[in-house]
Amino acid sequence: MNGLIDTHNRRINYLRISITDRCNLRCLYCMPKEGISQFGHGEILSYEEILRVAAAAVKRGIDKIRITGGEPLVRRGVVSLVERLSRLAGVRDLSMTTNALLLVEFADGLRRAGLRRVNISMDSLDPEKYRRITRGGDLRKVWEGIEAARRAGISPVKINVVAIAGFNDGEIEDFARLTLKDPFQVRFIEFMPIGSASEWKPEHCIPCSRIKERVERIAPLIPLSEGGNGHGGPARLFKFPGALGEIGFISPVSEHFCGSCNRLRLTADGKIKTCLFSGELTDLKPLLRSGADDEELGRKLDEALRSKPAHHGPMEGVMKRCHLPMVKIGG
Ligand code: SAM
């Protein structure tokens, strides 16, 4: 099967599954000050239910799955979920987005269970700033997690940096230099006006064009063919001459990539979200819990897909349209 084709002729082959809305960090830009009201145990999908949705999606042409959260590693049994997802025939790419705090404990098990690659969120290289933006995180643990992932053979390790003016813009060059001697893919992501958590103001967002200009002052950037190591996604990828790693720029704000958007999201409470910036959700839980068969589930997925907009519309209205904070969506 060649994949789901949506009403705007895009091939949809990528499902991001949020397995929890709980997180062991409380990043300033991701989680509201007052915290979030968390889903109750009965509200979140069981692993069996997640696997049913994943299997139905894979049957329809999804071949790329990312596990996210909240923080996916805080949900008990995550390694067994990875193992079962990796065994679904048709999944050719299984990855995870994590803050890495618990990777030391999980890296080997995840690799054995079939996880090939990982995206690690790390917005500062300065322990004090990291502690501040995450409201208490320990940067040393992130580095230990990164090392554990590399030792376990999880590759590539991508480092996601949300660039925020006035917070970490002084570290852009330091992040870029990490790729000189290590095979990381450092990805600069524009700060998005998403969900009720965000303290977003347009002036906080640094366009990737400006980040790239600064990075290019270190050394020329060689453009890589689409996807670089083959897993670039929406990142435009480059490398410094002779560098072991790569640098990616992801510009959802200044230069949307709706025309090539290939993704669906499943929230931890069983809702399909077809566009990060839209408020529309299709709830699969009633079907999953009322004995519906796989055909019905598949039809509901098709219905959700039909609601995937051609374009996410102006950024100005996003916060009004989409009330879910990122910690409930999964990034
Ligand atoms: N806990 C995991 C982690 O830290 O990677 C996974 C969930 S987290 C919500 C997923 C990603 O979303 C992180 O890389 C985070 O930096 C990013 N993110 C959250 N809010 C964002 C925003 N307003 N703009 C850009 N990226 C954001």
Side-chain angles (χ1 to χ4, degrees), residues 16 18 20 22-25 27 29-31 66-73 96-100 119-123 130 159-164 189-195 197-200 252-253 276-277 325-331:
R16 290 188 170 198
S18 171
T20 179
R22 281 154 211 254
C23 191
N24 45 359
L25 291 178
C27 297
Y29 61 84
C30 189
M31 175 101 70
R66 169 176 301 279
I67 301 168
T68 178
E71 171 49 43
L73 296 181
M96 178 180 283
T97 304
T98 171
N99 59 35
N119 286 24
I120 292 173
S121 308
M122 182 167 67
D123 299 323
Y130 181 82
I159 298 179
N160 285 354
V161 185
V162 179
I164 305 176
I189 304 174
E190 289 175 351
F191 184 27
M192 298 181 281
I194 193 87
S198 186
E199 317 247 314
W200 195 88
V253 180
L276 184 56
F277 298 110
M326 201 67 149
V327 66
K328 282 207 183 266
I329 303 171

Side-chain angles (χ1 to χ4, degrees), residues 15-22 39 43-47 50 65-72 75 78 81 85 97 264-273 324-331:
L15 177 66
R16 290 188 170 198
I17 304 177
S18 171
I19 63 169
T20 179
D21 63 342
R22 281 154 211 254
F39 297 134
E43 278 178 280
I44 64 165
L45 296 192
S46 66
Y47 285 156
I50 290 175
I65 292 181
R66 169 176 301 279
I67 301 168
T68 178
E71 171 49 43
R75 182 157 175 191
V78 60
L81 177 72
L85 285 171
T97 304
L264 295 177
R265 293 178 165 81
L266 175 67
T267 63
D269 66 336
K271 297 187 174 112
I272 292 284
K273 187 168 170 56
L324 283 182
M326 201 67 149
V327 66
K328 282 207 183 266
I329 303 171

